Structure formats: C-alpha cells, structure tokens
Amino acid sequence: MLLDPNIAPAEAWNSWSERPAEMVFLPLGVRITPVLYSSKMRQATLIRPPEEIRFGRHDLRGEHISFETFHGGTRLAFAYEKGDPFTFSGGWERVEGGEWGLRYWVVLAISAAGHEVQFDAASGSAIVEVGGRFVALASSEAPVLVTTHDDAEALAADMQANGYFDKSSRGTRGATLGLRFNLEMMPRQRFAAAVADNRDLAIATARQALEAPPAPGVALQEGRNAGALDAVRDVLGWNTVFDASRRRTYTAASRIWGLGDAVWFNDQCFAALMGSVLDAPFGRANLAVALSNATPQGNMACLVNPRDAWVDRSQAPHGAFTVWSMYLRSRDRSLLEAAFPPLARNQLWWRANRDPEGRGLVSCGTSDVGDAMYKGTAFGARNETGMDNSSTHDEAVYDPVTRTLSTFDVGLNSALALDAQMLARMARELGRHDEATRFEGLAAVTRTRIHDELWDAERGLFANRQRDGGFVRSVSPTSFFPLLCGAADEEQLRRLLLHLADPDMFATPFGLPNATRNDPAYRDDTYWRGRIWPNVNFLVWQGLRRYGLDAPADALAEASFALFLGPWSARRLCGENYGAETGEIDDKPGNDPFYTWGAMLPLMAVAQVMDVSPWNGWEVTNDGAPARLGPLASPAGAVTVAVAEGALTLSGPEGALFTTDLKGRLTHIIVERGLLSVTLPARIAAGAWLRLGEGPSARFLTARCDGQEVPTHVDEGCRVIDLTGLPPGTRLDCHVEPRA
C-alpha cells in the first residue's frame, strides 16, 4: 500500500526527514540512511545537524544534494543526484582521515516501515517490496558485511555496543539492512537506488545508475553578488521537509530547531516569497501551508503545530504583500483568487479585535479562544509582532479587559496599512471594486494615524506609543516600517534617514540592530534585544525602495549580504539572527544556525540584479560589473540576466529578449503578446542603445517613446534602437507581431 500516492514523482526522492543525510522515497516510505562509526570514539551517528554536517548544495526538489560530514576527526564529502524521478545515485569520498580507514565505517541502512528488506548476494543489492513496487539499493563495490536490525537507531546502537569487528548481527532479511563499508577498502564509493515495478528491473536500473557520470553543477549567480541565488536555493532546499502529522511537504522555519512541524504564519509567508523567485509552484505550495493557519474567527494563527495552536493571536499581516509580490512575478490569477478571501478576513479581524477604542490603530493582544500556551499574557500578546523580547515592549502593560497591550506598535500598524494596500490591488485585479475601495480607505486611515500619532517629533522618528499618549523609550528598526506603507512625509523621511546613518543609533557594518546602539538593551545582545534580524533588514530595505531611496537601499542590501557571507562562506550557516558587533550566529546560545528567513539577506543581493516588486514591477539593473543570474522566475517564464563588457542581456526560454548598454535600473518591464516595454533609467548616456533579440526582431513592428515613433535600424539581423535624446524615466514600447 502506498503511504503517500499524491506526492509528485519529481519530489518523491528527497532529504525529507529530520535526518538531513537520509534520502526518503515518500510514496513508499523507503529510507536510505547513512550511519557513520568511529572506532576511535567508539561511537556511531546518524549524522546530527549542525555539528556533524556542513550543508552544501540542495536543489528544491533534491535533483542535486551535497554535504560534508564530520565525525571522529574524519571528514567525508557526500553527493546525491537524481537521474530521473525514480532513481538517485550517490557517493562519498574521504576528504580527511581521523583514524585508520579500517576502523572507520560508513553504513547504508535501508528500510521501509512494516516491510522486510532482503539482500541478494548474486547482484550485491538490497531490495524491498512495497505496494507491488520494488526498490533496489546497489553499490559499486560490494559491502564488507550485511547486517539486520529493527531500525537505523538499533544499527547505530549495535555498532556502539559491539564495534565493527562483530558478525553477530549478520543477516540478509530484516526490517532494516545495514550495508557496511570501511574507508580502508572503500575510501570512495558509489551507490544508487531505483524504483521499478519488477524486482530485476529495479536492480538493473540501480546498477545502470552507478555508471552514469555526475552532471556538472552550474552556479545560479556569478559575478556581482556571486552565490546569492544559490544560497537562497540551498537554504530552502535543505529546510524543505515532510510534515508527517499532516502528510504534506513544506519549507520549515528550520529543519534542526526541533519544534515538531511548526508553522509560523510569517515564516511560512517569507518561505513562499523566496521560493517563488526560483519556482512558482514551490512558492505556492508554501503559501498554501501559510494560509492553512486561518481560523474560523478570521485571523491567521500565529503558530500551529501538532502539539499546540496559537489561535488566540496572529502575527503582523505580511500575507498580502507576499501574495501580491508572488503574483507580479507569476501572473497567475488563481493565486489571487485563492489567497484574497482568507487574507481579507485576516485584515478585518485585526481591526475588529485589536482596536478596542476605535482609534484606527491596533495593539498586540491575545483573544479568549483556544487554550494555547501563553494565552492571556503579556508575552502571548507580544508574539503578534514576532519580536517577543524586544525592548520596545518593556513599557507595554497587558490589559485583561481589552486583552491587548497598552501600546500602539508602529511596526504592526505599518504592516496592517501595507496589507490593506496590497489587498486593494488584489481586489482591483479580481474585479472586486467595492472591496478594493474599502481596503484603500482602511489603508489611508491607518497611514494617516501613523503619520500623525506615531511620529515622535522630538526625537525625529516613529515609535511605539501608549494609548494614553506617551511614547516608549526604546525604538527598533520598526521605526522605519512606515516607509513600507508610505506613511512618512518628506520632512519625516529626512529625519529618519539621519538615524539610519547614525552610529549611536542604527548604523553598524552589518545592517540594523534590533535596539539602538545607545539603548541598554543593545548590550543584552539576546535575541530581539540588540541582534540583527534578516526579516527586519529585508522589510526596511523594501521601505527604502518604495521611496526610491536607491543609495541607502543598496547600502543596506550590500551590508546584509556581507553579514550573510561571513558564516555562510566559513561554515555554510544561515542565521535566525546575527550579532551586531560580531556578525556571528552562534556567538550566543539559542540562535538557530540554519534558519529559512536568513536567506532573505542574499535575496536582497539577488534583487540588485533582477527583482519583481510592487514598487518598480519587473526590473533589471546594470552597474557595468560582470554578472550572470538565473534561471529564475519572471512574468515571462524562467529567465537569465547576464552582463558582459558593460552590456546587459535579458534572455527567456526562447533566447535573448533584449541587450542594452544602458546603466542603472530598467523598471516596469513588460514582455507579453505583441509588446516588449521598459521604463528607461534616470540617466541615458549619449550613444546608448537597446538591441532586440532575434525572435522579437523578426516580428518587429515599431518602437515608441511617449507615443512618438523612435527610429531604429537593423544590425546583424537584430533591431537596434538608438536611445540618445530619449527622455530619462520614460517608457519605451517595442511592438511586435504576436506569435501565431
């Protein structure tokens, strides 16, 4: 009987379990688990993260996986590759030896719950039948010993108890077979597993896969911000696991946190946003998981896991921003149709349940529903910002009558206003004009309240405020969140930017600390008190971009990527948060070292080459430096961006769309039936040009700028537009014959 027959074949083999080195074929529940044994330590391990593994490449669906293991002073390099959806090959190679190879063992454990595994000596393969299908595991060199055990843990316990020089568990049939190899005889080894509907065919396919040469890896981002998109892919790939309790795959906040299939609403939204940059269906699957946190009351539950559900509280509403951004990249209308109703209910829930005085501003709270941990407490209410121990909450008092904190939170209200704006855009796109008008009105009210009531004129920044009037002392980067929703006027913006550059406030080499450097909380350097958070850097960066502040936005993106690269380059770690003074992740205990939203730091570096956003639409940037990015998702499908000899080329599935020597940002790109259109950058150098690719050139009709026809000529079969004299910042429309 198939355990999970609805798993897509392309996703079936992957590192789904809590053991990162283990490959699982989900439809059948077959597991192939590496176990390492060091005689020097007299210890076996199933490879525990993060101490015993250095995460390498991990494609979203496990097409390519690599990692290194560290146990007993021995370092091994592993690599897996899927030749097709039903077959994967793998191997290891000793990189560094910590003891005589005869005494260091690599064991491949194969199991399928409730099914017997057999070893066929003639073919040197282990085979298990599940639901009429066969899975065979073969190796390039035969195992030294085959042993039987109840499970992989029992195998490890047997080796720890009896060492490697023991044959008492030898066998060829059992719940789990251990194919044992040592590094003296097999310092490098290849193995492969294959699924087929015939025993002999499974064995033959696995054997054939052993002979296939590994495919060369191709970087997703080279030159400018090299490795940024690769890092986003690898973090998402490693943290994508199987939620056994709900029988679904999803990208966890962290595969090593140990919270048991926990879904935090905003973490899941950010995973969806990042995933959609690489692969629209992957992003959408994660969005569906986020939206599954919807409650009958209307809110998105803050946290849901098999042991608890925080339905009494929510998290700052970043869902509509996520969905609108995903839609702009995919142009999949069904995404809006599925997401709009629950997100609209969530927006209205906030206003009905967290504004007890009807002021048009909300406070954090915890409703009288459910029986979640921390329900009805100040700490539970703080969870709604996600910034649980932030010093911005130190002066907030929980009111058991209104079930809210006594303060208006500037970050929360800015998110609420942005959410309403994005919902209005979604509603307009769906033709729900009355709802669009309603959400536009709600956004405007909240923006005005933020502008008028949460601006501390004395300090020149936005801050949390008691409902009875006084501003709280501590501030955080949420002081910049009003930029996200457009609440700041020019004078407020001017004064805000002074704090951004002030070393006594927020200026550090790595981005924005979650307490100002002159705040005593900064010295605590504990979680939300003084450390740098990737999601916060990302949201402030988005606000700067909304206001067209390219220089400070680029500076923040560059500082964020530099922060990320330190632990990533040295140890392939991706932090939940980082020390503002050290740039390290694990300089303080309790910080997760491989957290999904840490990839929002390199995501900003990806966007410096190409992005799709609510502010500039689809944009590409040419700073003249060599670069190659992609493939990544766009409104025109999978595209690549390359900069060579100062010229930028944007290519789609059928070849080059255009090449140009323009420097700066080309925004609001449109590639659709009969039209290729861009908004030109703020500066156009004399002699600048744009050359259409061969496909668009062959169907070219006319080029227009502000409605006026622009002269063109043909060079080597491609249509070239001379941009000299065109007004900067205007649209260039190239009309072509639609494809038949």
Side-chain angles (χ1 to χ4, degrees), residues 188-253:
R188 63 185 60 83
Q189 173 75 301
R190 293 273 296 163
F191 57 91
V195 183
D197 289 332
N198 173 281
R199 174 190 174 97
D200 292 340
L201 181 58
I203 294 172
T205 304
R207 285 277 160 206
Q208 184 178 11
L210 290 173
E211 307 303 321
V218 178
L220 293 178
Q221 190 161 358
E222 298 176 304
R224 186 183 186 192
N225 298 337
L229 186 58
D230 307 76
V232 175
R233 175 201 63 199
D234 295 341
V235 172
L236 293 175
W238 279 111
N239 278 339
T240 297
V241 295
F242 184 61
D243 178 348
S245 64
R246 285 161 285 203
R247 314 306 297 179
R248 65 186 181 187
T249 63
Y250 79 117
T251 304

Side-chain angles (χ1 to χ4, degrees), residues 622 644-649 658-663 666 678 680-681 684-693 711 713 715 718-726 732:
N622 180 10
E645 298 180 350
L648 179 147
T649 300
F658 66 80
T659 300
T660 181
D661 67 344
L662 281 168
K663 301 300 186 294
L666 283 73
V678 302
L680 301 173
I684 301 177
W689 49 267
L690 185 145
R691 176 194 300 263
L692 297 180
H713 66 275
D715 180 38
C718 291
R719 185 70 57 166
V720 180
I721 304 162
D722 183 358
L723 304 176
T724 302
L726 295 186
L732 173 67

Side-chain angles (χ1 to χ4, degrees), residues 475-707:
V475 294
S476 79
T478 57
S479 291
F480 300 98
F481 279 22
L483 301 182
L484 277 168
C485 64
D489 62 32
E490 289 187 12
E491 176 60 16
Q492 289 172 336
L493 181 62
R494 183 190 69 79
R495 297 186 70 187
L496 270 179
L497 293 179
L498 296 177
H499 298 297
L500 192 65
D502 185 349
D504 288 333
M505 294 290 285
F506 293 105
T508 77
F510 303 118
L512 305 168
N514 215 64
T516 58
R517 300 179 84 183
N518 58 11
D519 189 328
Y522 179 81
R523 295 190 291 275
D524 292 347
D525 191 27
T526 301
Y527 225 53
W528 290 98
R529 302 175 79 86
R531 296 181 71 79
I532 293 174
W533 288 76
N535 57 322
V536 173
N537 273 19
F538 178 83
L539 291 171
V540 173
W541 171 75
Q542 288 284 5
L544 293 169
R545 295 175 73 231
R546 174 171 186 158
Y547 273 76
L549 299 168
D550 292 343
D554 285 343
L556 180 55
E558 289 159 10
S560 298
F561 191 42
L563 172 65
F564 175 81
L565 282 178
W568 182 256
S569 299
R571 296 183 290 161
R572 297 282 290 191
L573 299 181
C574 175
E576 178 188 14
N577 58 71
Y578 294 76
E581 298 294 328
T582 65
E584 295 295 334
I585 300 165
D586 52 2
D587 54 334
K588 287 278 186 168
N591 300 316
D592 191 276
F594 207 81
Y595 205 84
T596 292
W597 75 22
M600 298 176 90
L601 298 175
L603 182 64
M604 289 182 266
V606 174
Q608 287 188 294
V609 180
M610 190 192 105
D611 192 29
V612 182
S613 77
W615 333 123
N616 295 323
W618 181 9
E619 64 178 83
V620 294
T621 302
N622 180 10
D623 70 349
R628 194 193 67 79
L629 174 69
L632 72 168
S634 83
V639 298
T640 59
V641 181
V643 179
E645 298 180 350
L648 179 147
T649 300
L650 177 65
S651 300
E654 298 180 358
L657 295 168
F658 66 80
T659 300
T660 181
D661 67 344
L662 281 168
K663 301 300 186 294
R665 284 185 171 85
L666 283 73
T667 62
H668 300 287
I669 299 170
I670 298 173
V671 177
E672 59 187 26
R673 183 176 173 84
L675 178 66
L676 191 158
S677 177
V678 302
T679 295
L680 301 173
R683 294 180 181 178
I684 301 177
W689 49 267
L690 185 145
R691 176 194 300 263
L692 297 180
E694 290 184 2
S697 293
R699 309 191 315 277
F700 178 80
L701 296 173
T702 185
R704 293 182 176 275
C705 183
D706 281 350

Side-chain angles (χ1 to χ4, degrees), residues 280-534:
F282 182 92
R284 180 147 186 187
N286 275 293
L287 180 67
V289 173
L291 296 180
S292 72
N293 276 23
T295 73
Q297 296 75 246
N299 64 306
M300 294 293 173
C302 176
L303 166 69
V304 176
N305 70 23
R307 293 170 290 182
D308 203 358
W310 293 5
V311 296
D312 60 301
R313 71 208 87 141
S314 190
Q315 283 194 309
H318 294 300
F321 169 78
T322 295
V323 171
W324 185 249
S325 298
M326 293 172 65
Y327 170 71
L328 292 178
R329 189 178 290 269
S330 70
R331 292 295 175 177
D332 181 355
R333 185 183 175 87
S334 68
L335 180 67
L336 301 184
E337 293 168 342
F340 178 80
L343 292 177
R345 288 194 297 270
N346 184 59
Q347 168 76 204
L348 298 176
W349 174 90
W350 275 101
R351 297 177 183 277
N353 291 270
R354 295 295 187 262
D355 183 7
E357 299 174 2
R359 300 267 296 273
L361 292 170
V362 299
S363 302
C364 302
T366 159
S367 301
D368 190 16
V369 294
D371 62 351
M373 186 177 289
Y374 313 128
K375 171 189 169 184
T377 67
F379 182 78
R382 289 186 218 159
N383 295 151
E384 293 204 312
T385 66
M387 301 163 61
D388 317 79
N389 74 326
S390 168
S391 56
T392 60
H393 296 310
D394 287 356
E395 299 172 53
V397 178
Y398 179 68
D399 179 359
V401 177
T402 65
R403 304 190 70 90
T404 61
L405 296 182
S406 60
T407 52
F408 295 128
D409 187 279
V410 66
L412 176 58
N413 280 281
S414 298
L416 187 68
L418 175 65
D419 191 69
Q421 290 175 327
M422 297 298 107
L423 283 167
R425 295 188 187 187
M426 293 166 66
R428 289 272 179 229
E429 191 75 5
L430 292 171
R432 303 171 75 148
H433 298 295
D434 289 345
E435 290 168 284
T437 300
R438 181 185 187 186
F439 286 122
E440 287 165 353
L442 291 173
V445 168
T446 306
R447 273 200 317 274
T448 300
R449 296 287 188 274
I450 293 169
H451 175 277
D452 294 346
E453 299 184 35
L454 301 186
W455 175 255
D456 184 345
E458 182 177 340
R459 290 186 288 179
L461 46 69
F462 293 97
N464 290 8
R465 189 172 193 172
Q466 299 286 356
R467 283 202 292 265
D468 62 8
F471 287 100
V472 305
R473 178 186 57 80
S474 287
V475 294
S476 79
T478 57
S479 291
F480 300 98
F481 279 22
L483 301 182
L484 277 168
C485 64
D489 62 32
E490 289 187 12
E491 176 60 16
Q492 289 172 336
L493 181 62
R494 183 190 69 79
R495 297 186 70 187
L496 270 179
L497 293 179
L498 296 177
H499 298 297
L500 192 65
D502 185 349
D504 288 333
M505 294 290 285
F506 293 105
T508 77
F510 303 118
L512 305 168
N514 215 64
T516 58
R517 300 179 84 183
N518 58 11
D519 189 328
Y522 179 81
R523 295 190 291 275
D524 292 347
D525 191 27
T526 301
Y527 225 53
W528 290 98
R529 302 175 79 86
R531 296 181 71 79
I532 293 174
W533 288 76

Side-chain angles (χ1 to χ4, degrees), residues 53-74:
I53 188 168
R54 175 186 166 109
F55 297 114
R57 175 177 175 174
H58 199 306
D59 290 4
L60 296 184
R61 293 176 177 81
E63 299 93 333
H64 300 272
I65 299 174
S66 64
F67 56 92
E68 290 187 341
T69 61
F70 304 85
H71 181 61
T74 293

